[in-house]
Amino acid sequence: MANKRVLELGSGPGLGGFLAAHWAKQVVLSDYQDLVMDLMKHNIKECNPRPDQCEMLVTRLDWCAEDNLNVPLIDKNGDESGSMLIHEIDVIIGTDVVFWPMIIKPLVKTLCDLFAKNPDLVFYICYIERHTNTHDQLKEELLANKF
């Protein structure tokens, strides 16, 4: 992740993104819920491990929205800093984002939208396999979309 631009999907408080910030040049934390957005904004201001070397931003990504990438990026001061629609990303990470089967299709649609912008993206996902059915569904959906 050295000197890469990283997007964390479903960040929650941003643990995966803060780990990536140790090497990345930029990290975008993303989630959808208001409470989580407030927490991420606080965390990028107070907890960036390398504030002089790694810019941290937050954005509200709704995986179910038709135009899900047309959202602003927010910097540590709470100001808009561009749009996810035109923002360049090198690496996507997702930590424990596959909990409910109903989010698999929207997650994969979001990945397809991001890979359409940059086919050279790298995507890392880690999660606890709680249900074999959910894991199988994710695998089928990824394969059906040429991942």
Side-chain angles (χ1 to χ4, degrees), residues 9 27 32 37 44 59 61 69 77 81 88 96 111 117:
L9 295 175
V27 174
Y32 180 71
M37 290 297 298
I44 66 168
T59 193
L61 278 185
L69 299 182
N77 298 315
S81 182
E88 297 292 327
D96 209 21
L111 290 171
K117 287 177 39 177

Side-chain angles (χ1 to χ4, degrees), residues 81-95:
S81 182
S83 167
M84 196 65 220
L85 192 60
I86 58 172
H87 191 71
E88 297 292 327
I89 296 292
D90 304 305
V91 178
I92 303 169
I93 59 175
T95 54

Side-chain angles (χ1 to χ4, degrees), residues 63-122:
W63 301 347
C64 296
E66 184 61 33
D67 195 11
N68 60 352
L69 299 182
N70 192 14
V71 292
L73 296 165
I74 309 297
D75 68 17
K76 68 180 181 181
N77 298 315
D79 298 324
E80 284 193 24
S81 182
S83 167
M84 196 65 220
L85 192 60
I86 58 172
H87 191 71
E88 297 292 327
I89 296 292
D90 304 305
V91 178
I92 303 169
I93 59 175
T95 54
D96 209 21
V97 292
V98 183
F99 187 81
W100 302 107
M102 65 189 144
I103 61 93
I104 291 173
K105 284 186 184 283
L107 169 63
V108 173
K109 177 203 173 292
T110 300
L111 290 171
C112 289
D113 292 344
L114 290 162
F115 272 84
K117 287 177 39 177
N118 179 3
D120 295 324
L121 275 172
V122 177

